[in-house]
Structures are given as C-alpha cells and as structure tokens.
Amino acid sequence: MSYSCTSTGNSQDPSSSNKSGGGVNPGSCSGSSSSGVSSSSNSSSSSVSSGSGGSGGSSASHSVRGGKSDSKPASAEAMKVKKGCNTTDVGVPVTTEEELLANTIITPEDVLGLQKITENYLCSPEDNIYNIDFTRFKIRDMETGTVLFEITKPPASDKGGEKRDIDPNAGRFVRYQFTPAFLRLRQVGATVEFTVGDIPINNFRMIERHYFRDQLLKSFDFEFGFCIPSSKNTCEHIYEFPPLSEDIMREMILHPYETQSDSFYFVDNKLVMHNKADYSYSGGP
C-alpha cells in the first residue's frame, strides 16, 4: 500500500520587519490521490509520499556539489495549513534548556520558547519508540533544479562476532559545508526519506529553528499528520528563505559553524527525536 500527502506553510524571520509564521499541517494520507502544492511569501511547503519499506539514518559532513534534480515531488493530497509562531509576537512563554531538561514531557510550545541553540539533546534515542529512521537526504535549488548535495544511509552490515561501542547519538548530528552563494538562494527543496516501525504515528510534527550565534534567524514548523506502521516515507520541504542583511551574511561566512539548527520531532505533541546541525558558508571545511 502506498499513499501521499502535501503540506504548505510559512517560515519565521525574527530578524525581518515583515515577520510571518511558518508551518505545515495536519493531515492524514490517502491512496492514489493528488493535488498541487500551494505556497505564499516567505513560505515553506512539503509533499509526502509513503509505502512499505525498510529503515536507516545517518550522520555526516556534506559539501556543496552541482547536478540536476532527478525527479519531481511526489503527487499529493492537500493538507491544511497551520501557521507557525514567532514567540515574541504571540506571547509564547520564554523557556530555557535547563527548564526543559527537567520536564518529563517536552511539547512544541516548550521549544518555541527557546531563545538560543541548545547545548544538549533534549531527549534520548530511547524516546524514539516509533523507530523513525532517516535514510536519505537531498537539497536542491528550486530555481535551477541543481542538486546541492545528497546522502543516503548505507545498508546495515551484520558482521558476525564483531562487537564495538556505538555512540548513542550517532545519526543525530550533521555538519554542512556550503559556498557563500547558498545564502542568496531564495527557494530550496529538502527531500528526506524515513521509515517508521510497527507503531502507527499520529500527529507527526517537526519544528526546526536556525540560529546564528544567539540570534534566531528563522523557524519552520511542519505537521505531517498520520504515518502508517512499517512504512517508508518520502517528503520534500520547499523552503522560501527570508532575505538576510549583508552584514549578517558576511558574519556567517567569516564564522563557519556558528550557524546552527535544532530539529525537534513530536508525536502527539510529545518530543520523541532531537537532531542538531551546524553550517559553514565559507566554501571549505
């Protein structure tokens, strides 16, 4: 069985005078249906398709490369749009990492109140009881179709008798290396493939927050709805980035890896996964 769905929404740009919320939204998926993807200014959208499949996930450092997009986004059934929030605009209470680490359950509203990048992971790998596993990731320039980079998790190898220590946080951190030109892209498509285990997933949501030093640059909020058990899913988020000032871009280029992001994944409003990344725009390692 296979199915697909599409979602659209807005990104946040706290550094811009024209602020807008970001998000995408609840929806369940149905077989063999499709519709176009709608978008708006400073928006992000995603199309999701899924079927039965295996598992995977990876951690790596990536460098920008050229190429052409090999496929169009999957056809999809439209999802409702849910706007994301700029916490300073709508009165979401400010939270700290220390406060959240003391909580038994961490909610989307909790992470929307964070004012800077986290230093630690806010949940453990064991909290991922749904066995959500990311197996492939690709970024492309939507204007030209150029594939900026792509990585696929290699199949698990089972070498009999070989035992070694495994970092429990392996696969939760990615380091990206881009050229300065990336900062001037206005629309980027990020395709991710992931598998889920035997438990159905309700209200699957991702909140992704990007910072330069302690300044929130943008925040994206996607709700994917329901994922069927034992399925393999493909989703392309289409990000329309708000423009950055020349001063901020210059500082981001001169200070590689001081641009960072937290990606929080929720099921039924409970944090189950937390991934981190940092970025260089200097064109080198």
Side-chain angles (χ1 to χ4, degrees):
M1 176 180 181
S2 65
Y3 66 95
S4 63
C5 57
T6 298
S7 55
T8 67
N10 294 328
S11 68
Q12 306 164 40
D13 176 23
S15 64
S16 169
S17 59
N18 180 19
K19 297 179 181 179
S20 61
V24 205
N25 152 27
S28 55
C29 306
S30 61
S32 304
S33 11
S34 66
S35 82
V37 177
S38 63
S39 63
S40 59
S41 178
N42 288 344
S43 71
S44 54
S45 67
S46 67
S47 61
V48 184
S49 64
S50 66
S52 60
S55 62
S58 179
S59 171
S61 174
H62 306 291
S63 298
V64 64
R65 67 177 177 81
K68 287 292 182 182
S69 170
D70 53 10
S71 64
K72 296 180 180 179
S75 62
E77 181 171 9
M79 298 171 69
K80 296 179 182 178
V81 175
K82 179 177 185 299
K83 291 187 68 178
C85 303
N86 183 323
T87 58
T88 58
D89 289 347
V90 298
V92 173
V94 171
T95 57
T96 66
E97 178 177 351
E98 292 73 20
E99 291 172 342
L100 299 192
L101 286 171
N103 291 351
T104 304
I105 294 176
I106 296 175
T107 68
E109 290 70 24
D110 290 332
V111 302
L112 287 171
L114 290 169
Q115 303 300 297
K116 61 180 181 179
I117 198 75
T118 61
E119 295 181 6
N120 302 287
Y121 293 101
L122 300 188
C123 64
S124 71
E126 289 72 29
D127 290 318
N128 180 17
I129 62 172
Y130 302 93
N131 291 322
I132 301 165
D133 199 1
F134 295 99
T135 58
R136 178 173 170 261
F137 190 63
K138 178 178 74 174
I139 289 183
R140 62 179 178 132
D141 176 4
M142 297 299 294
E143 183 176 347
T144 65
T146 300
V147 175
L148 303 176
F149 72 77
E150 182 173 6
I151 187 166
T152 302
K153 180 182 179 179
S157 58
D158 184 12
K159 298 182 179 180
E162 182 178 333
K163 294 184 178 180
R164 57 182 178 179
D165 294 332
I166 299 176
D167 180 357
N169 291 322
R172 303 178 80 187
F173 174 79
V174 180
R175 168 159 285 184
Y176 296 107
Q177 297 166 5
F178 295 110
T179 66
F182 187 90
L183 292 173
R184 298 189 182 277
L185 296 178
R186 295 277 64 88
Q187 192 179 68
V188 172
T191 299
V192 62
E193 288 183 357
F194 64 96
T195 60
V196 300
D198 298 333
I199 305 174
I201 297 179
N202 294 300
N203 303 320
F204 187 31
R205 178 178 179 181
M206 179 188 77
I207 294 176
E208 185 173 283
R209 293 168 71 79
H210 293 249
Y211 300 85
F212 175 60
R213 296 173 175 164
D214 287 338
Q215 177 183 350
L216 178 64
L217 298 175
K218 51 186 174 284
S219 184
F220 298 97
D221 189 341
F222 300 96
E223 293 192 29
F224 303 116
F226 177 76
C227 294
I228 63 174
S230 304
S231 62
K232 181 176 182 180
N233 307 269
T234 301
C235 168
E236 181 173 50
H237 304 301
I238 302 173
Y239 296 94
E240 289 193 11
F241 294 130
L244 298 170
S245 70
E246 293 294 328
D247 288 342
I248 287 290
M249 287 193 288
R250 181 166 54 252
E251 288 297 302
M252 291 168 69
I253 293 166
L254 291 174
H255 299 90
Y257 309 120
E258 291 190 35
T259 305
Q260 300 170 287
S261 67
D262 280 312
S263 297
F264 303 101
Y265 300 86
F266 301 86
V267 176
D268 282 337
N269 293 321
K270 178 181 178 181
L271 183 67
V272 297
M273 295 180 71
H274 179 192
N275 293 341
K276 300 175 73 67
D278 62 15
Y279 307 80
S280 168
Y281 301 101
S282 64

